[in-house]
Amino acid sequence: MAWLRLQPVTSAFLRFGLITFVLFLHGLQVDAGTGAIPPITGQNDTCSGSSECKEGVILPIWYPENPSLGDKIARVIVYFVALIYMFLGVSIIADRFMASIEVITSQEKEITIKKSNGETITTTIRVWNETVSNLTLMALGSSAPEILLSLIEVCGHGFVAGDLGPSTIVGSAAFNMFIIIAICVYVIPDGETRKIKHLRVFFVTAAWSIFAYIWLYMILAVFSPGVVQVWEGLLTLFFFPVCVILAWIADRKLFLYKYMHKRYRTDKHRGIIIETEGDHPKGIEMDGKMMNSHFLDGNLVPMEGKEVDESRKEMIRILKDLKQKHPEKDLDQLVEMANYYALSHQQKSRAFYRIQATRMMTGAGNILKKHAAEQAKRSTSLHEVRPEEPEEFISKIYFDPCSYQCLENCGAVLLTIVRKGGDVSKTIYVDYKTEDGSANAGADYEFTEGTVVLKSGETQKEFSIGIIDDDIFEEDEHFFVRLSNLRVVETDEPPDLNKLPYPKAILASPCVATVTILDDDHAGIFTFECDVIHVSESIGVMEVKVLRTSGARGTVIVPFRTVEGTAKGGGEDFEDAYGELEFKNDETVKTIHIKVIDDEEYEKNKTFFLELMGPRMVDMSLQKALLLTQEVSERKLTMEEEEAKRIAEMGKPILGEHPKLEVIVEESYEFKSTVDKLIKKTNLALVVGTHSWRDQFMEAITVSAAGDEDEDESGEERLPSCFDYVMHFLTVFWKVLFACVPPTEYCNGWACFIVSIMIIGMLTAVIGDLASHFGCTIGLKDSVTAVVFVAFGTSVPDTFASKAAAVQDMYADASIGNVTGSNAVNVFLGIGLAWSVAAIYWASKGQEFHVSAGTLAFSVTLFTIFAFVCISILLYRRRPHFGGELGGPKGCRLATTLLFVSLWLLYILFATLEAYCYIRGF
């Protein structure tokens, strides 16, 4: 499937293998003295050099130095196999190294954001800027072997310049620029394109990547030909932080507003964006993202809050989409699916793609699917293993319910006592007694005291208290009933001495019940329970109680309706509700049902109102109704009519203290916590990081299937293939050995970072010796060995990482943008650091640090010309006809791929011919 897209590139590799094999045979012939074509003698003083093997930094020379042809072939095979195996080892320890970098750069901090309305919210953001991390730790992680090889070669050979390190850096840059980008252009699915998102940052890194090699040429051939001075080395090293700072400025768009503010326009989100050519998405600036700072109503507002909101909105969108596709799934299953989907489709770092490529290549499996499977197993185990509730040895006695209401004409009210837990075979006695509240014993209720007996097997018991009725209008009143003096009747069974003594029964809360007596001599006062109520948008249908207090005589109609506030009716935020409630005689509670629409907003705070309108009696007598009419109130009434009207007014139903209810619709707490949990779980540091040495060793000895992320969206793992098993057993030694590296959880990843880079340095020293001995054994110079073999070996993991990034990412930054940044860092750190150390060393001895300009200067010049062509083509592909740097129409895609591969082949060919003086160099 995806590999079929690489067939043209694979065939190009095969042709290149045939060419290099012919060159190797020619090298053997030259070494044997049978060369027929005399080389051109010119300025390149390396032409007179020999290809004799030299003592390595770690590995000694394999004696005898002039073996027979058969022994030489055997040595070539041994060196070649050892070189490949060491490349695998470096890839695996670089996996650990990149994991530590991912953990370090994923560290977060809490910030407080003040909204325009004065409200403050606390959220977390990344400590490391994405651009800074890509150009520092990420670039160091992907280029560590090349950088350390250059440093170790100089320091290990008495601070004398060598060809292997610098040529590897230039050769690796050529492979990255031409082959990796060619593959990324070709593997994009048909009909799709990828564009660079951070275009300003790409301009900066691309310019620096070309300038770095121009600067390298100027050091070698312009300023002081053949000599590297201390200031040249230190200035090369100093360019690294300058490049990082300029890229950061381009990313943050500092120093630009006073020159460019007139070019911005306001989008629907009130964010300011730049006007650009083409069909850029709304809200996307030149570099593809909203500005980190922007002006709103003349004020500078930080963008951290908007970035956090965008991640939440994206997570909410994923949950909604999955809920529509899989309505049969429960919330936990949807969360796991959303977690895998978010991890698979979110923008990932260079470190993640490098780790993923290495693990899939070495049989360690797809880390996203492994992580999803582990999360699903953990979730299943948590559901299956439920802690058993501890047995309750004590019987708890209490009222259930603890609040009672009755009309004063009900005669008596029944109260219930329950027993929970303990030994129900015991007989329990408990006393009860009434206490006055606003109701008085003898006037409103009958004073009562007594004892309730819960016999063996009984778990509840009822008793009654009499209510006194009168014809006097009065407010609702209440009294209390209290439990006391609990006794347990013991049986004749002998006690169990193995059990500790404990009380057999206790009075639990609530042991006091409240009884409210509702007056029935008035039509009633109608009100809500409170002024404000908060509801979750996930409630579905909310229920609001309307209370009838201070009387319940007669049938009363109470109209009601909903009124919009910030929440809109008509099915947008809630369904409109209106109508009438009919309270029958002695009926004291009615319920209004309102449907709330759940649109799953993360932070919601919308209001609407529910109001009651004037109640009216239904069964009012005709005489009383006439007395209350407007016409009667306007004429003078007789004494009898005045008294009758006063009594009628007293009995008239009215609205109470809370006739209008404010309903505040808030986000679902469960939904909000789910989104927050998902955002935390989508931190890639949790996926690639390790928590203990046990986890690392278990992972080292486990073989897993590779597979592509786009095979399914469930995250289920497949069975390992034959290739997975082969690669696992080939690399299991390295995996187990590097499992001893400290887990990334220790010291926030720094312990793993330091140990890993030390191991990479040691392996790189061995690789340098192997490559040098391999080249000299078959008659290749170090410069050719470095450009062809070492550069290829160190760049293979980056190739697979960039291919995965190109296919999976929405943008081309992770696949293209990091190539240019890595190329610049290679020169500034790899050559700048090594040459600075050597130049300072020789300067301290009063001597100069000599570097041959011949082959290296030619390679640098050739690469710079080809790189300029490559970047120009990429920028031209942003035109609407192509659609982006990667992908596009099949013919254009194939033509670009073949052109870039041809540039690399030409670079290898010319560099090799110049090294052997078949063409004139510098």
Side-chain angles (χ1 to χ4, degrees):
M1 298 169 307
W3 290 103
L4 295 177
R5 301 178 181 275
L6 298 179
Q7 284 183 349
V9 181
T10 305
S11 61
F13 275 120
L14 293 176
R15 296 191 194 99
F16 167 68
L18 293 175
I19 295 172
T20 52
F21 181 69
V22 171
L23 287 174
F24 297 157
L25 291 180
H26 181 71
L28 290 174
Q29 292 175 354
V30 171
D31 191 49
T34 60
I37 305 175
I40 299 172
T41 58
Q43 297 177 357
N44 191 353
D45 56 359
T46 60
C47 294
S48 58
S50 65
S51 58
E52 294 180 358
C53 295
K54 296 177 292 186
E55 192 78 20
V57 177
I58 294 179
L59 298 181
I61 298 176
W62 190 342
Y63 293 101
E65 294 189 47
N66 296 309
S68 62
L69 182 61
D71 289 343
K72 182 175 287 190
I73 293 175
R75 289 186 185 186
V76 168
I77 294 174
V78 170
Y79 282 136
F80 186 73
V81 172
L83 200 59
I84 292 177
Y85 199 66
M86 293 301 295
F87 281 137
L88 286 175
V90 169
S91 298
I92 293 172
I93 188 59
D95 172 4
R96 298 285 181 197
F97 186 52
M98 296 298 275
S100 69
I101 291 173
E102 181 68 41
V103 172
I104 291 170
T105 56
S106 296
Q107 293 176 20
E108 297 176 334
K109 66 178 180 180
E110 283 194 353
I111 62 167
T112 301
I113 301 172
K114 188 173 183 180
K115 294 185 176 181
S116 56
N117 59 2
E119 181 184 353
T120 59
I121 59 172
T122 302
T123 187
T124 56
I125 62 169
R126 290 286 180 92
V127 175
W128 283 76
N129 175 267
E130 180 184 356
T131 298
V132 173
S133 64
N134 282 338
L135 284 176
T136 53
L137 295 181
M138 298 290 184
L140 177 62
S142 61
S143 303
E146 295 96 320
I147 294 171
L148 292 176
L149 178 61
S150 177
L151 182 63
I152 291 170
E153 183 187 32
V154 169
C155 297
H157 290 95
F159 299 96
V160 176
D163 290 332
L164 196 66
S167 296
T168 298
I169 287 176
V170 181
S172 178
F175 189 91
N176 292 346
M177 182 67 74
F178 306 132
I179 296 300
I180 290 182
I181 294 181
I183 293 174
C184 292
V185 169
Y186 189 76
V187 297
I188 303 300
D190 292 337
E192 296 184 18
T193 58
R194 303 286 188 272
K195 298 183 75 171
I196 292 176
K197 177 183 179 185
H198 302 280
L199 192 56
R200 281 198 181 94
V201 177
F202 175 74
F203 283 155
V204 172
T205 56
W208 276 99
S209 67
I210 293 180
F211 169 77
Y213 293 92
I214 295 175
W215 172 256
L216 193 57
Y217 170 77
M218 295 173 70
I219 291 177
L220 294 171
V222 177
F223 296 136
S224 52
V227 176
V228 175
Q229 301 179 11
V230 174
W231 72 268
E232 293 174 334
L234 292 178
L235 187 57
T236 304
L237 188 60
F238 178 72
F239 282 144
F240 171 66
V242 173
C243 173
V244 173
I245 292 172
L246 289 180
W248 176 74
I249 290 174
D251 178 58
R252 302 290 292 184
K253 287 164 289 299
L254 302 179
F255 313 127
L256 299 175
Y257 297 112
K258 62 182 179 180
Y259 304 111
M260 304 176 65
H261 67 279
K262 292 183 179 180
R263 298 180 61 195
Y264 292 111
R265 58 183 174 84
T266 306
D267 71 350
K268 64 181 180 181
H269 300 295
R270 295 179 60 80
I272 308 301
I273 61 172
I274 193 170
E275 195 77 47
T276 56
E277 296 180 3
D279 297 327
H280 292 288
K282 202 167 187 179
I284 300 294
E285 206 206 334
M286 180 181 176
D287 62 351
K289 69 175 184 178
M290 294 291 296
M291 298 186 304
N292 294 61
S293 304
H294 63 287
F295 287 95
L296 292 182
D297 302 327
N299 298 317
L300 187 64
V301 180
M303 274 300 297
E304 285 86 351
K306 281 189 174 292
E307 292 172 359
V308 173
D309 289 340
E310 287 302 319
S311 63
R312 287 172 179 164
K313 288 177 182 178
E314 179 64 18
M315 196 60 65
I316 291 169
R317 184 192 64 78
I318 292 172
L319 275 175
K320 287 182 177 179
D321 290 345
L322 289 175
K323 187 180 290 186
Q324 291 178 354
K325 290 180 181 178
H326 308 281
E328 75 284 356
K329 303 283 187 182
D330 58 28
L331 182 60
D332 291 335
Q333 291 174 314
L334 289 174
V335 166
E336 295 305 327
M337 294 174 67
N339 182 33
Y340 178 74
Y341 183 91
L343 287 172
S344 301
H345 292 79
Q346 71 171 316
Q347 187 175 354
K348 305 177 184 68
S349 65
R350 180 76 175 179
F352 174 83
Y353 286 118
R354 175 71 182 259
I355 296 167
Q356 176 79 310
T358 302
R359 296 193 183 182
M360 293 175 67
M361 184 175 63
T362 57
N366 186 317
I367 53 179
L368 285 181
K369 292 190 176 182
K370 288 178 66 176
H371 177 75
E374 290 170 3
Q375 292 293 323
K377 290 176 184 176
R378 188 175 295 116
S379 176
T380 303
S381 63
L382 287 175
H383 282 80
E384 291 178 350
V385 181
R386 297 181 180 273
E388 295 183 359
E389 294 186 3
E391 183 182 355
E392 295 186 7
F393 298 100
I394 304 173
S395 293
K396 295 179 180 179
I397 310 300
Y398 55 90
F399 282 111
D400 186 20
C402 63
S403 179
Y404 299 86
Q405 290 181 338
C406 65
L407 293 170
E408 65 177 1
N409 64 356
C410 67
V413 59
L414 290 175
L415 282 75
T416 304
I417 296 176
V418 299
R419 165 166 59 179
K420 183 178 180 181
D423 187 359
V424 295
S425 65
K426 303 290 185 181
T427 300
I428 294 179
Y429 291 80
V430 61
D431 296 341
Y432 66 91
K433 183 180 180 180
T434 58
E435 297 177 358
D436 284 352
S438 58
N440 298 315
D444 298 307
Y445 70 94
E446 297 175 357
F447 173 78
T448 308
E449 61 179 341
T451 301
V452 173
V453 181
L454 291 168
K455 297 181 180 179
S456 176
E458 289 183 338
T459 57
Q460 67 178 35
K461 204 65 173 283
E462 292 182 342
F463 64 95
S464 64
I465 297 175
I467 304 299
I468 300 173
D469 189 14
D470 59 36
D471 294 328
I472 302 172
F473 169 69
E474 53 191 351
E475 297 291 335
D476 295 342
E477 298 171 316
H478 67 275
F479 65 94
F480 306 103
V481 182
R482 186 180 299 276
L483 299 178
S484 62
N485 193 22
L486 179 69
R487 290 97 67 196
V488 179
V489 176
E490 297 290 345
T491 62
D492 296 333
E493 297 176 2
D496 189 349
L497 299 178
N498 294 325
K499 295 183 179 180
L500 295 175
Y502 55 85
K504 296 179 174 58
I506 59 171
L507 287 176
S509 180
C511 59
V512 177
T514 302
V515 181
T516 302
I517 303 173
L518 305 177
D519 186 72
D520 64 346
D521 301 313
H522 187 275
I525 300 174
F526 298 87
T527 181
F528 294 114
E529 293 178 291
C530 55
D531 280 331
V532 180
I533 184 174
H534 295 257
V535 298
S536 169
E537 65 173 352
S538 63
I539 192 172
V541 178
M542 64 174 290
E543 296 182 350
V544 180
K545 290 183 179 180
V546 179
L547 306 180
R548 183 185 194 181
T549 61
S550 301
R553 178 165 295 177
T555 301
V556 179
I557 298 294
V558 182
F560 68 90
R561 66 176 182 178
T562 55
V563 180
E564 290 184 351
T566 54
K568 302 302 179 183
E572 183 174 342
D573 294 308
F574 66 94
E575 296 285 354
D576 295 318
Y578 55 90
E580 295 178 337
L581 300 175
E582 182 176 350
F583 287 81
K584 300 289 187 181
N585 187 45
D586 293 341
E587 194 171 13
T588 58
V589 179
K590 278 287 187 181
T591 303
I592 300 174
H593 296 86
I594 303 173
K595 185 177 181 180
V596 178
I597 305 302
D598 184 6
D599 53 5
E600 293 181 337
E601 293 185 28
Y602 180 80
E603 287 185 346
K604 188 172 187 175
N605 191 2
K606 296 183 178 180
T607 61
F608 68 93
F609 300 92
L610 182 62
E611 62 178 19
L612 302 177
M613 290 172 283
R616 64 181 187 273
M617 292 284 293
V618 173
D619 53 358
M620 183 184 295
S621 64
L622 180 60
Q623 182 183 2
K624 186 182 292 187
L626 289 174
L627 289 172
L628 295 176
T629 59
Q630 184 71 22
E631 293 80 2
V632 173
S633 60
E634 291 177 355
R635 65 179 177 84
K636 189 174 181 179
L637 303 177
T638 63
M639 292 291 293
E640 293 80 6
E641 288 177 334
E642 285 282 357
E643 181 64 18
K645 182 178 179 181
R646 186 181 67 80
I647 296 173
E649 288 284 355
M650 289 179 59
K652 180 182 176 181
I654 59 174
L655 294 178
E657 184 181 2
H658 309 301
K660 190 172 185 179
L661 176 67
E662 181 182 9
V663 182
I664 301 177
V665 183
E666 299 174 334
E667 73 278 355
S668 166
Y669 174 78
E670 181 182 17
F671 181 75
K672 183 177 181 179
S673 62
T674 299
V675 172
D676 289 338
K677 189 189 302 181
L678 272 173
I679 291 175
K680 290 180 180 179
K681 289 172 71 174
T682 51
N683 188 337
L684 290 172
L686 300 175
V687 180
V688 301
T690 51
H691 306 287
S692 65
W693 270 292
R694 179 184 177 276
D695 292 344
Q696 292 186 168
F697 279 103
M698 289 298 296
E699 182 180 324
I701 62 176
T702 303
V703 58
S704 302
D708 296 327
E709 277 78 2
D710 54 358
E711 289 176 359
D712 56 62
E713 62 178 26
S714 64
E716 297 179 359
E717 285 190 285
R718 296 187 300 109
L719 292 176
S721 64
C722 180
F723 177 79
D724 295 325
Y725 279 106
V726 170
M727 292 305 299
H728 173 72
F729 287 115
L730 284 177
T731 58
V732 70
F733 167 76
W734 294 121
K735 291 179 181 179
V736 174
L737 178 63
F738 298 145
C740 300
V741 174
T744 56
E745 193 173 82
Y746 296 177
C747 303
N748 292 325
W750 287 106
C752 179
F753 180 89
I754 295 171
V755 174
S756 297
I757 201 169
M758 292 172 61
I759 296 176
I760 290 174
M762 290 187 289
L763 293 182
T764 301
V766 177
I767 286 175
D769 292 347
L770 285 173
S772 180
H773 292 171
F774 169 76
C776 69
T777 301
I778 60 176
L780 288 178
K781 295 183 178 181
D782 281 351
S783 60
V784 179
T785 305
V787 167
V788 178
F789 291 100
V790 183
F792 178 81
T794 56
S795 300
V796 167
D798 286 325
T799 305
F800 290 106
S802 294
K803 179 256 178 186
V807 174
Q808 298 169 28
D809 246 13
M810 295 173 58
Y811 303 100
D813 297 71
S815 51
I816 292 181
N818 287 314
V819 166
T820 56
S822 179
N823 286 352
V825 171
N826 281 353
V827 173
F828 297 145
L829 282 184
I831 293 181
L833 186 60
W835 286 3
S836 295
V837 171
I840 293 172
Y841 171 81
W842 289 111
S844 66
K845 293 183 175 295
Q847 302 180 38
E848 294 179 330
F849 176 49
H850 293 275
V851 178
S852 175
T855 301
L856 183 58
F858 179 82
S859 295
V860 167
T861 305
L862 193 63
F863 168 76
T864 304
I865 296 172
F866 287 174
F868 184 81
V869 173
C870 179
I871 292 176
S872 300
I873 292 173
L874 289 177
L875 293 178
Y876 183 79
R877 284 179 56 87
R878 290 181 66 87
R879 296 174 66 86
H881 176 66
F882 297 97
E885 288 84 356
L886 306 182
K890 188 172 183 180
C892 299
R893 193 171 72 227
L894 183 59
T896 305
T897 302
L898 293 177
L899 176 59
F900 286 175
V901 171
S902 299
L903 289 176
W904 184 69
L905 292 175
L906 289 174
Y907 167 78
I908 295 295
L909 180 62
F910 289 148
T912 304
L913 293 176
E914 194 278 338
Y916 288 99
C917 302
Y918 289 105
I919 59 175
R920 189 181 300 276
F922 295 101

